[in-house]
């Protein structure tokens, strides 16, 4: 519906250009028409996975596959802090658990450690290299790879995801063992054409 509105109402399209369109749990919904109108696509709610290592695998897989499948450039995971009485279902489904926040006691949950594998080696403002560049994509036996590039083009981070877990939504393919070789060529950073 949004794509149709953007086509039929050019003033709306112009007003939103440069912004983002958010969807909850977008899964497999590519919307190339958004990019045509200068809009990024964001997952404005994803997650709801258990705060254990299988849940962490789902979190890591979700961040990479959202980008590779649909060019989702921002994934917000639910919930940042789970500060709910332990008797409530879903206890500790947040990235941080603080059942008694007034006490100052909290614990970092496994999915947050998984996200650190990406965020520790990137910075705000880094570019995500698109599928068309060949620096981001799917692996042959399941999984994904995503390359992030610093604005000065002096640093990059390559995140390879071969995670397997029973995810509640948007599970993705299973993965198998494989040898993966990435070749960096001279002038790679200079040859990429990116809009700042």
């Amino acid at each position: 519906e949004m794509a149709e509105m953007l086509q039929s109402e050019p003033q709306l399209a112009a007003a939103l250009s440069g912004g983002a369109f958010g969807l909850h749990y977008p899964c497999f919904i590519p919307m190339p028409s958004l990019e045509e109108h200068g809009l990024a696509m964001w997952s404005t709610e994803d997650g709801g996975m258990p705060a254990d290592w299988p849940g962490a695998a789902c979190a890591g897989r979700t961040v990479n596959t959202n980008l590779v499948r649909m060019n989702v450039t921002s994934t917000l995971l639910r919930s940042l802090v789970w500060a709910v009485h332990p008797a409530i279902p879903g206890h500790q489904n947040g990235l941080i658990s603080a059942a008694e926040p007034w006490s100052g006691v909290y614990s970092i949950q496994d999915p947050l450690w998984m996200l650190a594998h990406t965020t520790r080696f990137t910075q705000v403002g880094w570019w995500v290299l698109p599928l068309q560049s060949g620096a981001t994509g799917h692996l042959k036996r399941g999984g994904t790879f995503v390359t992030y590039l610093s604005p000065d083009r002096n640093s990059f981070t390559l995140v390879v995801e071969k995670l397997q877990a029973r995810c509640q939504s948007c599970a993705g393919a299973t993965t198998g063992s494989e040898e993966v070789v990435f070749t960096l060529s001279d002038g790679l950073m200079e040859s990429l054409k990116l809009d700042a």
Side-chain angles (χ1 to χ4, degrees):
E1 291 180 32
M2 184 63 172
E4 292 171 11
M5 284 193 344
L6 292 171
Q7 293 289 355
S8 64
E9 299 184 34
Q11 288 179 324
L12 174 64
L16 295 176
S17 182
F21 185 74
L23 293 171
H24 284 20
Y25 301 90
C27 292
F28 302 95
I29 309 172
M31 300 180 87
S33 59
L34 293 178
E35 290 180 25
E36 293 170 14
H37 293 286
L39 289 169
M41 187 163 141
W42 291 357
S43 171
T44 49
E45 181 179 313
D46 241 312
M49 68 271 304
D52 54 13
W53 281 113
C58 289
R61 168 161 277 190
T62 297
V63 169
N64 264 29
T65 57
N66 275 355
L67 181 89
V68 172
R69 283 193 291 229
M70 303 163 294
N71 199 31
V72 170
T73 56
S74 177
T75 297
L76 305 177
L77 294 176
R78 172 185 70 85
S79 300
L80 175 60
V81 178
W82 191 260
V84 176
H85 191 276
I88 303 292
H91 176 59
Q92 296 186 351
N93 276 2
L95 300 176
I96 299 170
S97 176
E100 298 175 344
W102 56 88
S103 70
V105 175
Y106 66 92
S107 63
I108 303 297
Q109 303 298 319
D110 297 339
L112 189 56
W113 293 115
M114 179 60 66
L115 296 175
H117 282 78
T118 296
T119 59
R120 174 66 179 97
F121 301 101
T122 60
Q123 299 289 323
V124 172
W126 280 36
W127 292 307
V128 180
L129 301 184
L131 249 51
Q132 300 84 352
S133 70
T136 293
H138 293 279
L139 297 170
K140 289 179 183 172
R141 304 232 21 226
T144 58
F145 61 98
V146 175
T147 304
Y148 298 83
L149 180 65
S150 65
D152 63 8
R153 298 175 185 243
N154 288 328
S155 301
F156 72 95
T157 293
L158 174 66
V159 178
V160 178
E161 171 271 316
K162 291 285 282 182
L163 302 166
Q164 206 162 320
R166 296 185 139 222
C167 301
Q168 293 175 347
S169 62
C170 311
T174 59
T175 62
S177 298
E178 67 182 296
E179 182 175 310
V180 179
V181 177
F182 295 95
T183 304
L184 303 179
S185 60
D186 290 337
L188 169 71
M189 309 273 203
E190 293 78 28
S191 67
L192 292 170
K193 294 184 169 119
L194 301 171
D195 294 329

